[in-house]
Amino acid sequence: MPRSQNSKIGVTTLEDISALILQSHDLDETLRNIVTLVAKRMRTNVCSIYLLDPDNVTLRLQATKGLSSKAVGKVTLQIGEGLTGMAAQKRHAIAIEEPQEHPSYRYFKETGEERFHSFLGIPLFDRNNPLGVIVLQTKEPRQFNKEEISALSTIAFQISSIVVNARLLDSIRKHEQESKRVSQALDKAQESIELHANDVEENPQNVLSGNVAYPGVAIGPAAILEERLGFADILHEEEVDVQAELKNLESALEKTCIQTIFLEKRVAERLSESDAAIFHTHLMILEDRSFIKKLQDEINDGHSAAYALEKTVSNYIEAFEKMEDNYLRERAADMEDIGRRILANLVGDTADQTLHLKHPSILVARQILPSDMAALDNEQILAIITEDSEKNSHAVIMAKSMGIPAIVAVRGALKNIAPEDDLVVDGSSGKLYINPLETIKEEYQRLQDDQNRELCRLEEYRDQPAMTADGQRIILRANIGLISDINVAKRFGAEGVGLYRTEFPYMARGDFPNREDQYELYSKVVKEFKGQPVTIRTLDIGGDKGLPYFSPPKEDNPFMGWRSVRVSLDNRDIFRTQIEAILMAGNDGPVKLLFPMISSLDETRACLEVIEEAKQNLMKDGLAYSDDVPIGVMIEVPAAVRLVAQLANHVDFFALGTNDLIQYLLAADRNNPLVSKYYDPLHPAVLQVLYEVTDTASSLGKGVCLCGEMASDPLTMILLIGMGLREFSMPAPFIPRIKAFLKGVSLEVACKHYTEIHAMESSNQIRQHLGEILEDVELGY
Ligand code: PEP
Ligand code: MG
């Protein structure tokens, strides 16, 4: 079978499996559907799934297409027994032609498998524990090729998560009593939170407070990012005024069409034409006569417009989901999106705010998802206020890169703030004033003017190189995520891009971008930086970054789970396509390729292998690409710290991802306010690890760029340059301040201070010492 066809099989089968899961919640039925689908797609006579019994040693035939159905549930073998057991024991694929001639072959009369002359078995895992085996067999003798093994491995991965989830659900049901108890406890906790919120409400001055995520002062009207309204919120109305409802519908459809045209235009400007194309499809649906007629018919039957919408859209979604054709099936998600937007207009909900602010406003939300940030118009956002605590989340990281003040964990914000309320955000103390007295406003206006003057003063640093007082050159690059970050980065004088988080453009879309789309985007970034390097990081989804069209499995610990390069390596086609686009962009300027979340040499080798495959594909397709793009890995998992010397044999540079490294080293979730005091960049262990990586890498002649958020803190900068780091990447608005700061510090003094704190045992001691230094340093600002 040709290679491209095989890769397609992998991806389309995965999509089909996702659709099957939607249709069924029963594990046996799902597995039966999966084996039928996989046998058809892989063109084999047999596909079977064996699952491990609770005793952890017995594999039991759980579903089969091609073997006798009577064998299901009966045929068992031990781990290590037969070829299937061997795949589970050896934890890798077993592909054999004429399996009956193999010494480990074991025959089961019940299955009728003597007719089959080829065998491919791939183990299934739950995290690292064996879970079962998926087996393919064919009547003709044949060897399964590399691509088929890779496609089946990806499918195996998805099946594993289905099994794990189904078992989880099962155990949840069994422990209903327990969960009841837990939910009662949660209710109590919620009551106490609400009590706290009431305290806030009674605050006569209408001042709320939270944690500063990005400093600065902002004054302006509030825009509330409403929580998405769902169809479940619609109530069936008994008595409706048909004419009024028909009119309502007409006006909601019209508004939705206009908004969709705006959306299309804005996404085309901020991302690309092809990203915006999805809204064109939405317009077609909105203007489709039969869609409109169905809605009208429901209303004429005596239902409200909202109810008619819910019913019609749900029918469409259901019908789309059942379609064979991939393209049509994907339209189900579009229908949902359109339905929600019409609904928002019907009930007068300002859902349009999620993408379009009428004038510069302070955005108030329970939570801002990275995909919201990808879609919002950053020119119109003056500041961000969230109720949830997400100081180190990607939404806040993006706010920082746009230079927008942000306060998080502002309890009671949504309850106390109405749209267009006058707000003052004090992003140094973490205070938020709602409709404040004129005197307070004036005071902050003065502060804001000072701040603007300060920014103008820092402007002078934009075109100057970053340099310490004694002339040591330091490189400061920008962390970017969206096309609109390019201008911000240039405005603040970044020397190229040290970290391009490619997941954000993926988030603002309806499906995976193809090679051309990705190339267009990366090439645009590279060309804009005119000869300055751009480090493009491959997809880093999972953790707190999801894609609307690629739902990750439900996991207890997503940050420890199936995220980042792990997802990429399990979806090789998607991974290879992205690498191809990056290598192509390398032809347009100095690109560096960066892999996130690397935790082993094997993973690194696997990534390098995918680069080779990508090059071969590009060569085969006759496309221009750069053959000497430097390759780097992120050091953000503690295991990678220990492997720097070995990794240096395989890669050209390292990027220190301290946001994750700190959370993994200190076992403190970067987004969890309950443990934020444990998430400490100045923890002696963190500093020692950073030193270890810097020292080892530079002794081996490899570059290291620190691209976590701690690079933007002048307090830590003194230690970082003292320990030998010379290259940093940060949200661009911090660059002028850091340049100004560096001008007042000599490298010699920084080294001396680093040596002093190196021996210290606690972060308090370190912090105190730094405070004393800072008082002495002639600050440049
Ligand atoms: C990091 O972990 O430090 C990093 C830069 O990556 P991200 O914040 O995107 O996880
Ligand atoms: Mg990271």
Side-chain angles (χ1 to χ4, degrees), residues 537 540 545 563 634 636 657 659-660 670:
R537 183 177 72 182
D540 188 35
K545 290 173 283 188
R563 62 169 291 209
M634 291 202 68
E636 52 185 344
N659 301 342
D660 277 317
R670 61 197 258 185

Side-chain angles (χ1 to χ4, degrees), residues 507-665:
M507 283 170 186
R509 300 176 50 106
D511 59 5
F512 277 108
N514 63 23
R515 182 170 70 188
E516 287 342 293
D517 292 345
Q518 292 184 66
Y519 164 65
E520 204 183 293
L521 195 65
Y522 304 154
S523 165
K524 191 167 176 171
V525 178
V526 172
K527 286 179 185 154
E528 288 276 354
F529 281 95
K530 298 194 175 89
Q532 288 176 317
V534 174
T535 302
I536 307 181
R537 183 177 72 182
T538 61
L539 209 53
D540 188 35
I541 52 172
D544 65 341
K545 290 173 283 188
L547 300 182
Y549 44 87
F550 190 79
S551 43
K554 179 119 192 51
E555 297 176 289
D556 286 347
N557 283 309
F559 272 109
M560 300 275 199
W562 196 54
R563 62 169 291 209
S564 194
V565 79
R566 300 172 181 178
V567 177
S568 296
L569 282 169
D570 287 335
N571 290 278
R572 229 170 149 103
D573 297 332
I574 295 164
F575 194 27
R576 193 186 312 108
T577 305
Q578 183 178 30
I579 293 176
E580 285 169 21
I582 296 173
L583 297 178
M584 284 165 73
N587 207 34
D588 300 329
V591 163
K592 293 161 103 178
L593 171 53
L594 179 62
F595 294 112
M597 271 285 284
I598 290 293
S599 60
S600 73
L601 281 151
D602 282 347
E603 239 170 8
T604 311
R605 282 193 210 100
C607 292
L608 297 177
E609 227 175 75
V610 184
I611 297 181
E612 282 317 306
E613 289 171 19
K615 287 184 180 171
Q616 303 234 331
N617 269 3
L618 292 169
M619 231 162 357
K620 195 181 76 209
D621 295 346
L623 291 167
Y625 69 93
S626 167
D627 204 16
D628 50 16
V629 165
I631 311 297
V633 288
M634 291 202 68
I635 304 296
E636 52 185 344
V637 176
V641 171
R642 280 288 124 102
L643 295 174
V644 167
Q646 287 101 311
L647 287 165
N649 294 325
H650 301 273
V651 300
D652 305 302
F653 69 97
F654 297 105
L656 267 167
T658 47
N659 301 342
D660 277 317
L661 186 56
I662 295 169
Q663 80 165 343
Y664 292 133
L665 263 181

Side-chain angles (χ1 to χ4, degrees), residues 234-267:
I234 297 176
L235 297 174
H236 181 42
E237 291 168 49
E238 292 295 332
E239 299 269 322
V240 298
D241 174 346
V242 170
Q243 286 317 313
E245 290 300 302
L246 284 171
K247 242 178 127 191
N248 262 350
L249 174 72
E250 192 186 345
S251 117
L253 286 173
E254 206 177 290
K255 275 191 206 152
T256 314
C257 279
I258 295 169
Q259 288 161 355
T260 308
I261 294 168
F262 272 120
L263 278 179
E264 184 179 6
K265 193 164 158 280
R266 187 158 55 249
V267 174

Side-chain angles (χ1 to χ4, degrees), residues 465-507:
M467 195 92 79
T468 59
D470 50 354
Q472 172 62 52
R473 183 82 165 81
I474 305 289
I475 310 285
L476 303 182
R477 305 196 201 280
N479 289 351
I480 69 164
L482 291 173
I483 290 289
S484 45
D485 289 336
I486 299 174
N487 282 339
V488 181
K490 288 210 258 182
R491 196 164 79 225
F492 289 104
E495 297 183 63
V497 175
L499 174 64
Y500 177 14
R501 292 183 166 103
T502 55
E503 45 284 357
F504 293 115
Y506 275 77
M507 283 170 186

Side-chain angles (χ1 to χ4, degrees), residues 6 19 44 137 143 296 314 317 386 445 492 609 646 749 771:
N6 266 313
T44 58
Q137 289 168 284
Q143 240 338 322
Q296 290 168 336
S314 304
I317 292 175
T386 65
Q445 191 64 56
F492 289 104
E609 227 175 75
Q646 287 101 311
V749 169

Side-chain angles (χ1 to χ4, degrees), residues 255 326 438 606 633 704:
K255 275 191 206 152
N326 257 343
E438 210 42 44
V633 288
V704 188

